[in-house]
Amino acid sequence: MFDLALSEAGAQIILATSSDDKYPPENMIDGKDDTFWTTCGLYPQEFIIKFTSLVSINTIQISCYNVKKLKMEVSSDDNQAFKTLAEKELQPSDSAPQSEEISGRNVKAMNLRVVIESGYDHFCAVYKICVHGNAERS
Amino acid sequence: MPAVIRAKCIVVGDAGVGKSAICQLFTSDGSHFPKNYTLTMGAEFMVKPVVIPDTQDTVEMYMYDSAGKEIFTDMVMKFWDHPSMMIVVYDVTSETSFSSCEKWIERVRSQKPDVPFPGALVANKIDLEQRRIVGPKAGKELAMKTGLDYYECSAKEMQNVDTPFYFLASEYYKLYQEKVELFKAFVA
Amino acid sequence: MLLLLFRSNRPPSSSGARPMTGARGQLGTSAGRPAGTATRLTTAMNPGTARPGTRGGAVAGGLALNSQVNVVDRPTTQQGLGGMKTAARGRRQVMDKTYFLGLLRSKLNDLNGEINNLNKDIENTNDENSSFLTYDKRAEVLAGEIRDLQAELGDYNILVDKLTIDEDIQDVEFDCNNLKAQNDRDSKKIEEMFEVKKQKEEYIAQLEMEIDQEKRMADNLVNDMDPKLRQKYQKLKTLNDHLLKQTEIGQQELDQLNSKIETLQEDLSMSQVKQEAVRLYEQIHELTSKRDSLIEESKQRGSPAEEREKLLKQVKEDNQEIASMERQIKEINEKIESLQDDINQYDMDIEENQGEKNQKYKELRKREETMDEFLDTFEDTKAQELKRMTELQGAIVNSLEHVSRNMGRFGSLPTPGELATMKDDLAFKEDEMKKSETTTIGLASERDKLEQDLKKLDVMEEKLHAELAVLKEKSVTMQRDLVIYSDLDKLKEQAEEKKQKLQDDRVILQKRREAFKKHIQQMTAKYEGLKSQLNDNETYTQLANLERKWQHHEQNNFSMKEFIATRTMECDYRPLSKQFYSMMDEYNQILQDKLAGKKGM
């Protein structure tokens, strides 16, 4: 079990609704805590992580800030529709980033879609996202 | 590469004060002024990018030109979740429109009471000087009381309409910078 | 009526005439009638004439006591039997006593009737006259009343005017008093004038009395005079009267003629034709006089020999006259000369006798004159002279000083040659000085120019400094860049890195773009589906239509509201009324002050 959502592992952000050059979405999957991705305003914001191959997700760890409501969706294939995995409402924390863990229940997924439905402020940041799981042999 | 940040701007005010006129004028860069009064049904949606001076970044203003008629209020309030900024418009020749500004401000702020966001109080139709009832002092007082910035404009004369938008865009941009600093501060 | 009477006046003449003609009247078998009546009746019964016997006849025909008409009786004409004369205008054929009586009666009745009418008219007129008098009196009375009432009305009108103007009772009393005073003054004046008039009349009476007295005295004198003298006096008096009358008449005529002349002159001056006529008349007059003179001349001319003799005579006469006059002139000149000689001799004598004395006298007189002059102007000249003296003294002192100073320098005075050289030098130096002056002027202008240039140069120096600083910075940055750019390898590496990164980014962004596109496609498909669903929905289309209608109505509403608002603003009278009220207050205040000020006077 290892972090699937790492750029070294081949994961890619194929879609992100906000893109600031200084804080690109890649900061989420670079495995570093001090880089982050910011949203540019408006809600809902989302980003999609594509894994190299079909994987089964165990848990998802996300470290963010100012996020209020979060929704996770998976799709096993590019053409398939996304199925909701989980919806969570985070607590506001002023001094430190929020940290959440969502169980994946070993769902098989090729793409992971994270939707930030609302936030506590105009902008929010995601420092890191870790997807723990195994690669599936299809 | 220039960054683009997006802001949701809600334009509210009583019916017939000139919200649609201001928005259309701003969106068309001062060329189109709607001479005939068209009742806005629900809300009109317009996008206009505003370049922040001295930077290469743009703020895209997603304007929700809301209907002023009371009938539409409930419908319109559905559009108002997660506003980034607001513009309250009133007519200087109409005392009622001025007094209902507070009401509008309350309504919008109730959507997101925790987060403060920049706003502007705009006094429209200043070209009708003879019919002017609400003076600039009253407007400024109300703006100070509610924490907004006061602007006077005339959509018909195409005078001073862009200023509140530019101001709000720069405010929002500043806000963004602050947030980013804040984010950085956590990990530094 | 009148004609009948006329006829009755004339009976003697007619009676004389008619029976002579005899058979004019168609007398019937009337016989035994008194001549007077017959003649009268014949005249009355003459149908041939145009007398208005028709009137009487017609009446008679009706009223006369007619006896039966005797058809048997044949009317006879002048020459015997005549034709049957029918009745003219329904008159009776037989003219007998009763007929004529009847006629007379009818006439009498007529007359009576007329008299009655006349009496009635007279009475009417009398009544009318009397009533007219009464009416006249009443009219006078009423006129008097009207006058009084008009005066009252006038008074009331004045009162009403005064009330409407809200004039003070004091003003009214004031005016009343003024009028009273005026009336008193006028009445006094009238009394005075009356007094004056009385006086004058008395004076006139007095004068008349005096005149009478004088006249009586004159008469007495005349009576006391001798009869001869009296006669003479009388004659002279009558002559005097006569002459006076004549003068009067003559004066009147003169006045008439003068007025006539004036009118004629006016006419003359008006009409040009007349003026021309006048001119022509004058010309004619002149020419006629000329002609007359010429005719006379020609008459007097006689033959050329006579003419020559005449002329010779005339010439001789003239010559004689001339000669005599010349002699006279000569004599007079000689006289003049002799007198002049006498005068000179006398003068010389006088001079000889009193030569020296005279001269001395003359000299003395001259001296006296000069001394008088001198005395007159003494003071002035004295002052002037004193001033001059002081001035001269001062000048003298100065020159003495000068001289003394120069005396000191005398030793160092140059010789004439040296003087000449010095003069040359001086001239030379003067020239030089002039030249130097011009050069100074030129130099001053050049200096100004150079100062301006200097200022410009200062400004440029500052600019250059600024530029220098900028260039220094630039050079520093360029140095840095130079360092950077000199390191080609590093640059290459960096470029490669950037390129790689950009390519990676490109890949990523492309992928993202594709993902976005897909996403967008999905969303648009959803959106289109929803839209078509909406459009299919009847309710939606209905709603849309209604919404459009509503928008239209709202537009109308709004425009009308705007219109109303603009119009009410235009008609807003409030500021105007405020202005008006304030101005009225001001005006009233001013009026009050003015009135108060007037009263205070």
Side-chain angles (χ1 to χ4, degrees):
Chain A
M1 200 148 70
F2 58 102
D3 191 359
L4 297 161
L6 277 178
S7 42
E8 288 100 14
Q12 291 172 332
I13 310 270
I14 56 165
L15 190 142
T17 50
S18 308
S19 179
D20 188 352
D21 248 14
K22 294 193 277 289
Y23 313 100
E26 278 69 34
N27 289 353
M28 290 190 282
I29 53 172
D30 58 0
K32 288 186 230 164
D33 274 326
D34 51 356
T35 58
F36 54 90
W37 171 71
T38 65
T39 61
C40 296
L42 300 188
Y43 291 103
Q45 302 269 353
E46 67 181 54
F47 58 93
I48 301 178
I49 306 175
K50 189 181 168 100
F51 305 114
T52 44
S53 57
L54 200 64
V55 294
S56 68
I57 299 169
N58 203 344
T59 54
I60 304 170
Q61 255 182 334
I62 186 159
S63 163
C64 52
Y65 187 67
N66 265 343
V67 175
K68 191 161 152 188
K69 209 156 146 201
L70 207 58
K71 190 163 90 170
M72 303 261 180
E73 287 178 6
V74 286
S75 90
S76 44
D77 207 345
D78 281 340
N79 302 322
Q80 294 249 344
F82 281 94
K83 281 179 287 195
T84 315
L85 177 63
E87 277 184 51
K88 204 114 186 244
E89 185 148 333
L90 281 75
Q91 295 305 310
S93 71
D94 294 321
S95 47
Q98 301 156 304
S99 194
E100 278 298 318
E101 209 170 292
I102 299 159
S103 71
R105 295 188 297 271
N106 287 328
V107 65
K108 302 216 194 339
M110 185 89 152
N111 307 321
L112 173 70
R113 183 165 172 234
V114 182
V115 181
I116 307 174
E117 303 257 289
S118 63
Y120 288 106
D121 206 345
H122 299 294
F123 312 99
C124 33
V126 176
Y127 292 91
K128 202 163 80 164
I129 183 161
C130 299
V131 178
H132 295 285
N134 292 316
E136 275 292 306
R137 312 254 178 240
S138 52
Chain B
M1 269 236 296
V4 178
I5 42 177
R6 299 181 185 94
K8 178 162 168 174
C9 176
I10 310 178
V11 185
V12 294
D14 264 6
V17 298
K19 304 183 287 296
S20 304
I22 289 175
C23 292
Q24 282 176 39
L25 201 68
F26 177 60
T27 317
S28 63
D29 287 324
S31 61
H32 171 67
F33 171 71
K35 291 197 205 82
N36 295 323
Y37 170 72
T38 42
L39 174 70
T40 315
M41 299 277 197
E44 289 280 330
F45 179 68
M46 287 171 268
V47 185
K48 173 99 170 79
V50 175
V51 179
I52 307 291
D54 301 325
T55 61
Q56 279 182 323
D57 303 332
T58 344
V59 175
E60 274 180 8
M61 314 265 289
Y62 286 67
M63 289 182 279
Y64 284 76
D65 174 17
S66 320
K69 286 232 175 276
E70 290 294 316
I71 304 172
F72 292 109
T73 315
D74 295 327
M75 180 165 79
V76 146
M77 280 168 83
K78 294 207 177 78
F79 291 118
W80 288 351
D81 57 341
H82 309 299
S84 312
M85 53 176 83
M86 95 170 145
I87 295 184
V88 185
V89 188
Y90 74 91
D91 185 358
V92 291
T93 64
S94 161
E95 187 73 46
T96 46
S97 71
F98 182 66
S99 45
S100 39
C101 283
E102 289 205 44
K103 197 174 53 168
W104 287 111
I105 297 168
E106 274 309 304
R107 276 193 198 140
V108 174
R109 287 230 172 106
S110 64
Q111 292 288 321
K112 208 164 176 180
D114 316 321
V115 187
F117 45 86
L121 182 70
V122 176
N124 195 18
K125 302 195 192 173
I126 57 173
D127 53 298
L128 302 169
E129 283 200 18
Q130 283 160 310
R131 286 163 54 186
R132 183 169 187 150
I133 301 177
V134 182
K137 246 206 309 195
K140 281 196 187 118
E141 276 181 31
L142 178 64
M144 271 211 297
K145 202 168 73 169
T146 50
L148 306 168
D149 280 290
Y150 178 74
Y151 293 94
E152 287 193 343
C153 74
S154 168
K156 190 164 174 198
E157 305 289 323
M158 304 190 195
Q159 184 190 19
N160 214 30
V161 168
D162 300 336
T163 328
F165 290 103
Y166 287 146
F167 165 74
L168 285 171
S170 54
E171 284 287 301
Y172 193 67
Y173 186 71
K174 265 193 266 177
L175 213 66
Y176 175 68
Q177 300 287 2
E178 282 174 21
K179 285 296 159 203
V180 163
E181 291 301 316
L182 195 66
F183 296 152
K184 274 210 281 210
F186 282 132
V187 290
Chain C
M1 281 300 296
L2 288 165
L3 284 159
L4 289 169
L5 293 163
F6 185 63
R7 246 185 275 142
S8 59
N9 284 338
R10 279 220 292 144
S13 57
S14 59
S15 62
R18 291 299 152 66
M20 301 269 266
T21 52
R24 225 196 308 161
Q26 268 79 54
L27 288 173
T29 54
S30 57
R33 206 163 295 166
T37 53
T39 52
R40 237 187 290 144
L41 291 165
T42 52
T43 59
M45 289 326 296
N46 198 337
T49 61
R51 292 278 190 83
T54 54
R55 193 151 155 244
V59 176
L63 299 174
L65 306 165
N66 298 335
S67 53
Q68 59 275 44
V69 176
N70 280 341
V71 180
V72 184
D73 302 335
R74 283 225 239 85
T76 53
T77 59
Q78 268 180 323
Q79 280 78 32
L81 289 174
M84 180 76 158
K85 267 277 170 51
T86 54
R89 294 179 217 159
R91 251 209 283 148
R92 238 174 78 146
Q93 295 272 32
V94 177
M95 311 198 178
D96 65 346
K97 190 173 156 187
T98 49
Y99 174 64
F100 289 118
L101 277 172
L103 269 181
L104 276 170
R105 249 178 251 134
S106 66
K107 295 288 183 237
L108 278 168
N109 285 336
D110 283 341
L111 282 168
N112 284 332
E114 287 297 328
I115 287 166
N116 285 337
N117 279 341
L118 282 171
N119 284 335
K120 271 189 219 155
D121 281 337
I122 287 165
E123 278 176 27
N124 276 344
T125 45
N126 283 337
D127 287 337
E128 273 177 18
N129 271 347
S130 55
S131 65
F132 170 72
L133 284 169
T134 49
Y135 281 135
D136 214 9
K137 278 190 213 143
R138 256 183 78 189
E140 276 183 27
V141 164
L142 287 171
E145 271 187 40
I146 285 169
R147 254 182 271 125
D148 292 334
L149 287 172
Q150 270 184 349
E152 258 194 68
L153 180 68
D155 288 336
Y156 282 132
N157 275 342
I158 293 170
L159 201 71
V160 166
D161 284 340
K162 299 241 180 253
L163 279 173
T164 49
I165 303 175
D166 283 333
E167 228 180 82
D168 245 354
I169 185 121
Q170 285 181 353
D171 282 337
V172 173
E173 282 178 7
F174 187 62
D175 288 336
C176 195
N177 290 337
N178 271 352
L179 282 168
K180 251 197 225 163
Q182 187 82 18
N183 281 347
D184 290 336
R185 264 180 268 144
D186 288 335
S187 58
K188 267 194 217 151
K189 264 195 206 163
I190 289 164
E191 281 183 19
E192 281 174 21
M193 288 206 318
F194 189 62
E195 291 283 312
V196 167
K197 183 179 161 202
K198 247 170 78 177
Q199 280 181 6
K200 287 254 161 54
E201 277 179 5
E202 280 175 21
Y203 190 58
I204 286 164
Q206 247 194 340
L207 284 172
E208 277 187 3
M209 263 173 53
E210 283 185 7
I211 287 164
D212 285 335
Q213 270 190 339
E214 291 291 315
K215 256 198 190 158
R216 265 181 263 138
M217 275 174 64
D219 285 336
N220 287 339
L221 276 172
V222 163
N223 290 336
D224 292 341
M225 268 199 298
D226 283 342
K228 263 195 205 169
L229 279 173
R230 207 187 304 163
Q231 269 183 25
K232 228 182 173 182
Y233 175 72
Q234 290 289 347
K235 254 198 271 173
L236 286 171
K237 202 173 170 187
T238 47
L239 193 66
N240 184 24
D241 290 336
H242 189 67
L243 285 171
L244 274 173
K245 270 189 218 148
Q246 276 200 350
T247 47
E248 256 191 58
I249 291 164
Q251 193 71 31
Q252 275 181 14
E253 273 186 35
L254 187 68
D255 288 334
Q256 268 184 17
L257 287 169
N258 274 341
S259 60
K260 221 176 167 184
I261 286 168
E262 277 181 26
T263 50
L264 284 172
Q265 272 188 352
E266 272 184 36
D267 288 337
L268 214 95
S269 61
M270 297 251 196
S271 90
Q272 279 195 344
V273 173
K274 281 196 188 153
Q275 277 182 356
E276 280 230 28
V278 162
R279 246 192 311 120
L280 288 168
Y281 267 123
E282 282 177 9
Q283 270 190 10
I284 287 167
H285 195 69
E286 277 182 33
L287 290 168
T288 43
S289 63
K290 257 197 198 168
R291 190 192 63 174
D292 289 337
S293 63
L294 284 171
I295 285 169
E296 277 192 30
E297 267 196 50
S298 68
K299 268 194 209 156
Q300 288 183 1
R301 201 168 298 182
S303 66
E306 284 178 18
E307 287 291 305
R308 219 196 309 147
E309 276 190 33
K310 248 204 248 169
L311 283 170
L312 277 170
K313 240 200 286 177
Q314 239 189 342
V315 163
K316 273 187 199 159
E317 281 180 22
D318 289 335
N319 281 342
Q320 279 184 1
E321 273 195 49
I322 288 164
S324 64
M325 279 210 261
E326 275 188 356
R327 258 185 280 131
Q328 280 188 11
I329 287 164
K330 251 200 236 170
E331 280 178 21
I332 290 165
N333 278 339
E334 279 174 10
K335 258 198 196 167
I336 288 166
E337 280 182 30
S338 63
L339 284 170
Q340 282 246 333
D341 289 333
D342 285 337
I343 287 166
N344 288 338
Q345 258 207 319
Y346 285 138
D347 274 337
M348 278 172 57
D349 288 338
I350 288 165
E351 276 193 34
E352 280 178 15
N353 290 338
Q354 305 177 338
E356 285 184 17
K357 278 192 197 161
N358 207 4
Q359 271 186 359
K360 273 191 199 163
Y361 174 66
K362 275 189 196 163
E363 277 178 26
L364 281 170
R365 269 186 75 184
K366 271 190 213 160
R367 249 192 255 163
E368 201 190 65
E369 278 176 27
T370 51
M371 279 204 279
D372 286 336
E373 267 188 51
F374 182 68
L375 281 168
D376 285 336
T377 61
F378 173 65
E379 292 294 315
D380 291 334
T381 46
K382 183 179 167 193
Q384 272 183 12
E385 290 295 313
L386 278 172
K387 239 202 317 185
R388 259 185 66 193
M389 259 171 49
T390 47
E391 279 176 27
L392 285 169
Q393 280 176 358
I396 288 164
V397 165
N398 282 340
S399 51
L400 279 172
E401 281 183 27
H402 206 72
V403 162
S404 64
R405 254 185 275 143
N406 287 343
M407 290 289 276
R409 288 197 223 126
F410 201 66
S412 61
L413 272 180
T415 59
E418 283 180 14
L419 186 68
T421 50
M422 273 172 63
K423 270 191 190 162
D424 286 336
D425 285 338
L426 181 69
F428 183 64
K429 294 264 172 61
E430 275 181 6
D431 286 336
E432 297 241 323
M433 196 180 82
K434 277 181 206 153
K435 277 188 217 158
S436 61
E437 272 181 12
T438 49
T439 45
T440 45
I441 291 165
L443 282 172
S445 64
E446 274 199 40
R447 185 169 162 261
D448 287 333
K449 269 193 247 163
L450 286 170
E451 271 189 16
Q452 283 189 10
D453 286 341
L454 182 69
K455 278 185 203 155
K456 279 186 206 164
L457 282 171
D458 280 332
V459 166
M460 272 188 60
E461 201 190 318
E462 282 178 27
K463 277 193 210 164
L464 282 171
H465 274 306
E467 264 196 59
L468 196 66
V470 163
L471 284 169
K472 270 199 189 141
E473 280 181 35
K474 263 195 190 172
S475 74
V476 164
T477 46
M478 278 201 197
Q479 290 270 3
R480 266 188 270 133
D481 289 340
L482 203 67
V483 167
I484 294 171
Y485 289 130
S486 58
D487 201 349
L488 274 169
D489 295 328
K490 206 160 149 204
L491 283 171
K492 264 194 199 160
E493 271 184 41
Q494 278 182 358
E496 281 291 331
E497 276 181 33
K498 211 165 168 187
K499 195 167 146 196
Q500 194 61 44
K501 189 163 153 240
L502 285 170
Q503 275 181 345
D504 293 338
D505 280 342
R506 183 163 164 257
V507 165
I508 295 168
L509 288 168
Q510 266 182 343
K511 279 223 184 98
R512 274 203 216 146
R513 200 178 84 173
E514 280 171 29
F516 267 122
K517 262 194 188 162
K518 241 200 306 182
H519 216 69
I520 284 167
Q521 268 176 17
Q522 283 174 9
M523 305 271 254
T524 42
K526 212 165 127 188
Y527 170 65
E528 292 289 327
L530 279 170
K531 222 164 97 176
S532 54
Q533 210 182 28
L534 203 64
N535 283 333
D536 288 333
N537 194 344
E538 255 188 48
T539 328
Y540 174 70
T541 41
Q542 276 180 9
L543 271 174
N545 284 337
L546 288 168
E547 273 180 7
R548 272 197 289 272
K549 271 193 213 158
W550 186 17
Q551 270 185 346
H552 192 67
H553 285 307
E554 278 296 327
Q555 203 175 69
N556 286 346
N557 244 7
F558 188 75
S559 55
M560 273 195 267
K561 272 192 207 157
E562 281 286 311
F563 181 70
I564 288 166
T566 45
R567 275 285 185 255
T568 39
M569 184 192 69
E570 275 176 32
C571 302
D572 190 17
Y573 67 91
R574 266 187 290 259
L576 210 67
S577 72
K578 259 194 249 173
Q579 212 186 3
F580 163 71
Y581 275 124
S582 65
M583 273 176 69
M584 213 175 74
D585 286 335
E586 272 184 45
Y587 185 57
N588 280 337
Q589 195 62 38
I590 290 167
L591 275 174
Q592 281 175 9
D593 290 337
K594 244 201 168 167
L595 285 171
K598 211 179 174 179
K599 277 198 198 152
M601 277 174 22

